[in-house]
Amino acid sequence: MPEYKTEHEEAYLCTSVLLPDDPLKLIGVEPLSKQEVVHHMLLFGCAKPASSEKVWDCHTHSVCAEAGSHVLYGWAKNADAMHLPPGVGFRVGQGTGTRHLVLQVHYTHTRPPGDQSGMRLKLTDAALPFSAGMMMYASYFQIPPQKPSHLVPTKCCYAGFEPAYGFAYRVHTHALGRSVYMDRIEKDGSHSRVCEHSPQLPQGFTPVSNITFLPGQVLEATCDFDSSERTEVTHAGSTHHHEMCNLYMMMWSELPVFMTCSGQGTWSDAASVDPHGPGGLPAAGRLVQEAPQHWGPPPPYMPERPSASHLGQVAGVAKGPAGSVWVLHRGGRVWDATSFEGPALERITYKEPIGENVVIQLDQDTGEVLAQFGAGEFYMPHMTTVDNSGNVWTTDVGTHVATKWSPAGKKLLELGTPLEPGSDRTHFCKPTQVAVALDGTLYVGDGYCNSRVVEFSAEGEWRGEFVLPGEALRNPHSVVLQECSRALYVAEREASRVHRFSLDTRQLEGTWDLAEYGPVYALAAGPYGAVLALSWNRDKEGQPTHVVLLNDNQVGKITGAWSVPDVQAPHDMAVIAAPMRLAGKERPVALLIGETRPSGSRLQKYILLPEGEALPVEAGESQQVSARQQWREVLGAAVGESTTTTRVTLLGEVRRLGAGNGAGIGNAFSQVLLVGLPLTVLVGVAALALWSLSGPPLPQADLKLVSKAHMSPQQRFA
């Protein structure tokens, strides 16, 4: 912290540094202070700091000037240094939402002369495969006096679209805190403990082993306070006379997730997340097709050159676990005007099942085939879904069944009666897609010749139906869940509409009319509670295709739409992370879109780039990087296995820049010495220090106690 005289106790001081024009990853933090001097320190990532001064009072003022600030690290009570897991880092610097780092220091008393409190940071310019993020809990509360135990719970729902893995957590209270813990809350109301720590111990980040957080899980942080010695009510506040209730969970995932929970119940609220921030969808952007040298799934099936290893009509695509995707295709079979007969075209005309393996697992970055099954099982495959246990769900409009498969291809459950269309509790008529809830509850779109979505228990027992009031659903073609908002989304293809139903009452809550974009073929969940719709206007000249972002906060409103280039007869899509080679900056979102053309159907990959950005121009063909291998290395390192050949040796350390040295962080970055070892991959690592700068003391505003009425969200954390 640069020189700045404090005249009052409980001073909150902030200073900022501008990061170099390079994409960097923060991989470690070493605190440089003592408990006797500093109550706590926080490191924020900001697009722009709240002040251009070297030091400013951030007790009653903001830390960052714009929305989207993120806590990257916190320290108190002489906690130790922290190192992120191999392959994981906070993305900062050029091309990310974090261009500045802001250090906040809360001094318990007046700042002593010669104080040099700060943090030493380790950064790398290597392209790490996974991004670090943070769940942050804080709340307003008051504690009655003379209570040996007073609980302050703060509950929210994890609205990410992919699992996240907790690797370290930190708790914080003031003097009254006895314990801080996190629980998962199950659907039946039961609690299971995730982590627990005493806030009176050193308040750094405690390592944990890859705690898995799944989309839709309700997570509750609770602080237990002992006010036995207090004679008055204790309020939440920013001084040590007040109390705080904080829990931070660091986690890694392919795309970063930053969420703030203050007890409103969902992290999809606009006040709790930045939907266009790290890991989110860009406010403005475009879809760019991935180059063929980087994306190589099996080639399209061509009737004139039939091959069992080629992709037929790509009817379904779904994100799978650990860097994989699952694809459902039709082999050499084509759905055309002769495929079905009967009054409702409900009976398939083919007498034998498809002979090829039509369920295929691919590496999501390269397109390499990892596994396949399904030969002799399907008549007309339609769509696929992967549940949170990694099981694969498929629908077959030829046999009128929905089926659950193990990843190895073992049939685990079948809904419907094979080859018998119907509309009762044991029959479907050309079912379209399955959505699977956290507790295993099943929702089946039914279908081309029925007008409903059917709900089943995890064991396959019929529970009820979702229908439109007063009219029939014209082909409920795709279904997707958002469990944090307790909603089921249904794509009514032939009416070009999307409907939202309550999971609790099965009642219609609202409708989006997408007639401007055409029939809605597929739905997919995206970052921070987003719902995306794939629309193909097959009757319009040029047959344009769009991916439409629905506004979940205003039913019926559309947040944005992106045109999809070079696609024909799109049928399904999946949201994934962009490939590893694009992970140097903020890793973008990517889409996989499957075609069902009569011949030459493709599985296309598109990168959703923010406005003004382009894919990197690479000299020659770069080597493809396997997403599957990246997952093996990080998960292997977490359990102590040596699976990676990447090693870093840091020979030099950036010295603390003294008074009068205005060289800046760019020069500090360049002072790091690196060496490559045999059979190693050299990556650049920099150890950076928040340094002291000279200059006359700035005027110190009178500090005052901060009440609930004018505490900023950033002042609820410590």
Side-chain angles (χ1 to χ4, degrees):
M1 178 64 65
E3 183 179 345
Y4 189 100
K5 184 179 180 181
T6 63
E7 298 179 355
H8 303 272
E9 294 187 349
E10 306 285 1
Y12 277 70
L13 301 184
C14 283
T15 187
S16 70
V17 292
L18 173 65
L19 289 163
D21 287 330
D22 298 288
L24 303 171
K25 273 69 67 179
L26 175 65
I27 59 174
V29 181
E30 179 186 353
L32 304 171
S33 192
K34 296 181 179 180
Q35 178 181 353
E36 295 78 14
V37 176
V38 169
H39 177 270
H40 77 262
M41 296 188 294
L42 291 178
L43 181 68
F44 290 85
C46 303
K48 184 179 180 181
S51 174
S52 60
E53 301 290 342
K54 292 179 182 177
V55 182
W56 70 94
D57 163 28
C58 50
H59 186 207
T60 56
H61 297 83
S62 296
V63 173
C64 299
E66 303 170 2
S69 65
H70 307 295
V71 175
L72 303 179
Y73 178 74
W75 172 93
K77 295 183 179 290
N78 293 338
D80 293 332
M82 187 201 69
H83 304 281
L84 275 67
V88 176
F90 287 102
R91 300 187 187 279
V92 299
Q94 189 262 337
T96 76
T98 299
R99 295 296 285 115
H100 297 257
L101 296 178
V102 176
L103 172 67
Q104 181 195 76
V105 180
H106 174 195
Y107 289 94
T108 306
H109 307 290
T110 56
R111 186 182 184 186
D115 170 66
Q116 294 287 298
S117 294
M119 298 178 185
R120 182 176 290 114
L121 311 178
K122 289 186 177 180
L123 297 108
T124 176
D125 59 2
L128 302 182
F130 298 103
S131 297
M134 189 87 73
M135 296 182 192
M136 299 169 284
Y137 285 81
S139 60
Y140 298 116
F141 58 92
Q142 58 184 23
I143 304 170
Q146 300 181 344
K147 293 285 186 180
S149 178
H150 179 76
L151 302 181
V152 176
T154 308
K155 179 172 63 177
C156 282
C157 179
Y158 172 52
F161 81 105
E162 62 177 344
Y165 302 90
F167 62 86
Y169 72 100
R170 173 182 180 262
V171 303
H172 178 78
T173 70
H174 295 170
L176 302 186
R178 301 194 315 168
S179 177
V180 182
Y181 53 88
M182 175 187 280
D183 286 348
R184 287 191 185 91
I185 302 180
E186 309 300 339
K187 190 174 181 180
D188 62 4
S190 62
H191 289 223
S192 59
R193 188 60 42 89
V194 173
C195 60
E196 183 172 10
H197 198 72
S198 168
Q200 302 310 320
L201 297 175
Q203 293 181 7
F205 277 84
T206 302
V208 290
S209 180
N210 286 335
I211 300 172
T212 302
F213 300 106
L214 298 175
Q217 283 185 334
V218 178
L219 304 167
E220 183 176 74
T222 301
C223 296
D224 187 358
F225 294 101
D226 180 358
S227 62
S228 300
E229 303 299 321
R230 294 283 174 98
T231 58
E232 297 180 348
V233 171
T234 303
H235 295 274
S238 56
T239 76
H240 69 274
H241 301 293
H242 296 85
E243 269 299 341
M244 284 189 174
C245 176
N246 298 147
L247 188 147
Y248 304 80
M249 177 64 71
M250 279 190 185
M251 53 195 184
W252 63 266
S253 50
E254 291 179 316
L255 296 175
V257 179
F258 288 90
M259 298 178 172
T260 302
C261 180
S262 55
Q264 275 70 42
T266 174
W267 272 318
S268 61
D269 294 340
S272 301
V273 301
D274 179 4
H276 306 304
L281 299 171
R286 60 195 178 98
L287 288 169
V288 178
Q289 193 169 357
E290 176 68 300
Q293 66 264 32
H294 299 300
W295 173 240
Y301 185 97
M302 305 299 289
E304 61 273 17
R305 297 189 303 275
S307 172
S309 63
H310 292 182
L311 289 180
Q313 291 185 318
V314 183
V317 56
K319 179 176 173 58
S324 70
V325 293
W326 284 92
V327 176
L328 182 65
H329 71 106
R330 295 174 182 154
R333 187 158 295 177
V334 174
W335 186 347
D336 59 22
T338 66
S339 298
F340 290 89
E341 61 186 9
L345 297 177
E346 74 279 11
R347 296 194 179 276
I348 195 158
T349 57
Y350 294 100
K351 304 305 180 185
E352 300 294 334
I354 299 171
E356 299 98 337
N357 285 318
V358 297
V359 186
I360 301 180
Q361 186 184 34
L362 304 178
D363 184 286
Q364 73 175 28
D365 277 12
T366 67
E368 175 191 359
V369 175
L370 304 175
Q372 54 187 317
F373 63 84
E377 297 282 358
F378 292 84
Y379 279 71
M380 192 63 73
H382 194 261
M383 278 183 169
T384 187
T385 304
V386 179
D387 65 25
N388 287 307
S389 298
N391 299 305
V392 181
W393 291 82
T394 61
T395 53
D396 188 338
V397 294
T399 58
H400 310 286
V401 297
T403 308
K404 176 183 180 180
W405 309 86
S406 75
K410 180 181 179 181
K411 187 180 293 187
L412 303 176
L413 180 67
E414 187 172 77
L415 302 175
T417 304
L419 295 171
E420 289 187 13
S423 57
D424 56 24
R425 297 186 179 189
T426 59
H427 291 81
F428 299 122
C429 193
K430 299 168 82 170
T432 53
Q433 191 176 28
V434 181
V436 187
L438 272 174
D439 65 355
T441 301
L442 307 170
Y443 303 87
V444 184
D446 181 34
Y448 280 84
C449 40
N450 280 331
S451 302
R452 60 182 182 170
V453 176
V454 189
E455 179 181 337
F456 297 90
S457 71
E459 295 73 33
E461 297 177 356
W462 183 92
R463 285 182 174 173
E465 299 179 357
F466 295 76
V467 296
L468 280 182
E471 60 177 310
L473 275 169
R474 296 168 58 194
N475 191 356
H477 197 261
S478 182
V479 289
V480 71
L481 292 169
Q482 284 292 2
E483 293 194 67
C484 286
S485 55
R486 301 295 301 156
L488 171 72
Y489 291 78
V490 180
E492 187 184 14
R493 194 182 85 176
E494 296 310 305
S496 302
R497 299 188 297 186
V498 177
H499 305 287
R500 188 175 78 184
F501 292 88
S502 166
L503 289 178
D504 300 315
T505 66
R506 302 194 188 98
Q507 299 299 306
L508 179 68
E509 294 183 333
T511 297
W512 287 262
D513 186 349
L514 303 187
E516 174 185 354
Y517 302 100
V520 185
Y521 278 75
L523 299 174
Y528 299 123
V531 176
L532 300 171
L534 176 67
S535 287
W536 174 38
N537 204 330
R538 59 184 186 245
D539 298 322
K540 189 175 181 179
E541 183 179 355
Q543 297 185 327
T545 297
H546 288 85
V547 173
V548 183
L549 175 59
L550 308 182
N551 188 329
D552 192 50
N553 294 317
Q554 291 182 284
V555 175
K557 300 293 184 180
I558 294 171
T559 300
W562 301 284
S563 175
V564 185
D566 188 30
V567 66
Q568 299 178 40
H571 194 261
D572 197 10
M573 70 173 172
V575 180
I576 60 173
M580 167 66 182
R581 68 185 185 87
L582 302 178
K585 299 181 181 180
E586 199 72 75
R587 195 170 186 174
V589 171
L591 300 176
L592 290 177
I593 297 179
E595 298 178 326
T596 52
R597 298 193 290 178
S599 177
S601 294
R602 300 166 295 175
L603 178 61
Q604 303 271 66
K605 181 187 287 187
Y606 297 89
I607 314 300
L608 182 52
L609 293 177
E611 195 69 39
E613 292 199 14
L615 292 178
V617 178
E618 294 147 328
E621 293 190 6
S622 60
Q623 184 178 2
Q624 292 180 329
V625 181
S626 165
R628 194 73 162 179
Q629 181 61 27
Q630 297 160 26
W631 278 84
R632 288 197 186 103
E633 291 185 354
V634 171
L635 292 176
V639 296
E641 298 177 4
S642 179
T643 61
T644 177
T645 58
T646 301
R647 298 172 62 186
V648 178
T649 302
L650 180 65
L651 297 184
E653 179 179 280
V654 178
R655 60 185 175 86
R656 183 184 297 275
L657 301 183
N661 190 332
I665 201 166
N667 283 358
F669 182 77
S670 67
Q671 294 178 38
V672 177
L673 302 177
L674 296 163
V675 64
L677 301 177
L679 301 178
T680 66
V681 179
L682 180 63
V683 295
V685 175
L688 304 180
L690 292 170
W691 61 90
S692 299
L693 298 172
S694 63
L698 299 174
Q700 173 70 19
D702 290 337
L703 299 180
K704 57 183 178 180
L705 297 183
V706 182
S707 70
K708 173 181 175 179
H710 58 281
M711 280 181 69
S712 75
Q714 292 163 335
Q715 293 161 357
R716 287 179 276 152
F717 294 97

